[in-house]
Amino acid sequence: MDITFNLIGMSVANWPAAYAFFTQSLGLQAELNPAYGDWANLGGGWSGYYSDTHSLVCELFDNGGPVATRWWGHHQNIRPAIHVDDLEAPVDQLQRRGIHFAGEIENRSWGRQIEFDTVEGIKWAIAQVPGHPRRHDLSRPHIGHVAIKTADFKAQQDFYERILRFELRDSGQDHAIYTQNKPNHPFIILLTGGEVVHYDPDSVRPPERAHPFFLSLMTPELSTVLETINQQGLALLRSVTHHADWGGTDVVIKDADGNAIQIVQYP
């Protein structure tokens, strides 16, 4: 199957407050289209994705599900990471803007990283990852990977490696790193310590917005992907849908822990 990263969808309960935070406090550039209501393309936008660095696009949506408590691994299994050249400088810059960082800088096998708070308890990270694209300008950041905390580590490894055909780059007792078969694209880090995701089918429409992040993958051959979905008996969150407003056709499936993954074909 030919599948590559498309975007990460971020869904919030209070869209105006979230938009203000990401554009004013965090300082991200944003593209708006009034035809889509409460929607924003944050950071580098599609021009960043189609550059040599293939920075992951982040789209901000409304209709998210509010929760009383949230941390990475509880009501949020997916955490995006901005890749930078030097970790200390942007951390200092964002702290001076009032951004709160959780804990200290952490050293892992893939690089150095630190988590920070955004809105509604949603966590992001900044990482310095040697040998991977990064950007100095935080207004157009390079979102270089997403980390996923897993409830069933083995099942998630099987899903991303065997079903979605990501390539295993490195692994340890508590982590597995998966890359795409194309250079400079974002990668996935699976980690232990997450929880199974439960969707209430009546709580949010569309259902993938019930949790703060969903992954979006794109393909030029959705029919082939659908054959694999049917053969593997994968759980659907939303059946095949054609979107007349933006022209794409997609399906939303669940990974082994229940996280939402949109697979889309554009015209």
Side-chain angles (χ1 to χ4, degrees):
M1 293 191 298
D2 184 357
I3 292 179
T4 57
F5 263 123
N6 181 35
L7 57 88
I8 49 173
M10 181 178 180
S11 304
V12 294
N14 187 336
W15 193 92
Y19 179 75
F21 173 87
F22 281 97
T23 57
Q24 298 174 23
S25 299
L26 200 57
L28 302 185
Q29 293 188 7
E31 299 173 8
L32 293 169
N33 187 332
Y36 298 141
D38 286 345
W39 169 92
N41 192 327
L42 298 174
W46 290 107
S47 61
Y49 184 87
Y50 288 113
S51 70
D52 291 339
T53 60
H54 297 286
S55 179
L56 193 61
V57 173
C58 178
E59 295 191 4
L60 180 67
F61 297 101
D62 63 355
N63 213 29
V67 295
T69 58
R70 190 197 316 273
W71 59 81
W72 182 41
H74 175 63
H75 292 303
Q76 180 188 337
N77 282 354
I78 296 170
R79 188 185 71 183
I82 295 170
H83 286 194
V84 295
D85 293 300
D86 174 63
L87 204 55
E88 281 75 12
V91 168
D92 179 67
Q93 176 185 348
L94 292 179
Q95 283 178 327
R96 284 187 275 109
R97 294 183 190 171
I99 304 299
H100 176 261
F101 285 83
E104 302 296 328
I105 292 174
E106 179 185 20
N107 293 303
R108 295 300 304 253
S109 62
W110 55 88
R112 304 167 67 232
Q113 62 186 26
I114 187 169
E115 182 178 273
F116 65 93
D117 297 331
T118 66
V119 293
E120 301 176 16
I122 299 170
K123 314 300 181 184
W124 282 55
I126 294 182
Q128 183 179 351
V129 182
H132 283 268
R134 60 268 188 193
R135 211 175 266 129
H136 177 69
D137 182 5
L138 287 182
S139 70
R140 298 172 59 85
H142 182 87
I143 305 174
H145 76 263
V146 292
I148 304 174
K149 282 199 173 180
T150 65
D152 192 329
F153 186 49
K154 295 294 185 183
Q156 285 286 65
Q157 290 179 79
D158 180 73
F159 179 86
Y160 284 93
E161 186 171 352
R162 185 177 62 84
I163 304 298
L164 293 187
R165 310 289 178 84
F166 279 70
E167 298 178 356
L168 180 65
R169 190 189 83 186
D170 179 51
S171 64
Q173 187 174 1
D174 68 343
H175 74 277
I177 301 176
Y178 289 94
T179 60
Q180 299 182 78
N181 59 0
K182 298 182 179 180
N184 294 336
H185 280 64
F187 57 92
I188 286 176
I189 303 175
L190 300 181
L191 292 153
T192 56
E195 60 189 17
V196 175
V197 176
H198 297 286
Y199 284 90
D200 178 354
D202 298 320
S203 64
V204 173
R205 289 285 187 267
E208 61 267 25
R209 299 192 192 179
H211 289 259
F213 291 107
F214 65 89
L215 300 183
S216 177
L217 308 175
M218 59 183 171
T219 180
E221 47 184 40
L222 187 58
S223 59
T224 301
V225 173
L226 292 173
E227 289 179 10
T228 300
I229 290 172
N230 292 329
Q231 290 170 0
Q232 299 295 329
L234 300 179
L236 297 182
L237 265 178
R238 182 162 52 76
S239 59
V240 178
T241 305
H242 176 69
H243 302 270
D245 51 350
W246 50 270
T249 301
D250 69 354
V251 62
V252 181
I253 63 175
K254 299 179 184 181
D255 68 11
D257 281 346
N259 299 302
I261 299 177
Q262 175 197 48
I263 302 178
V264 58
Q265 180 173 345
Y266 292 99

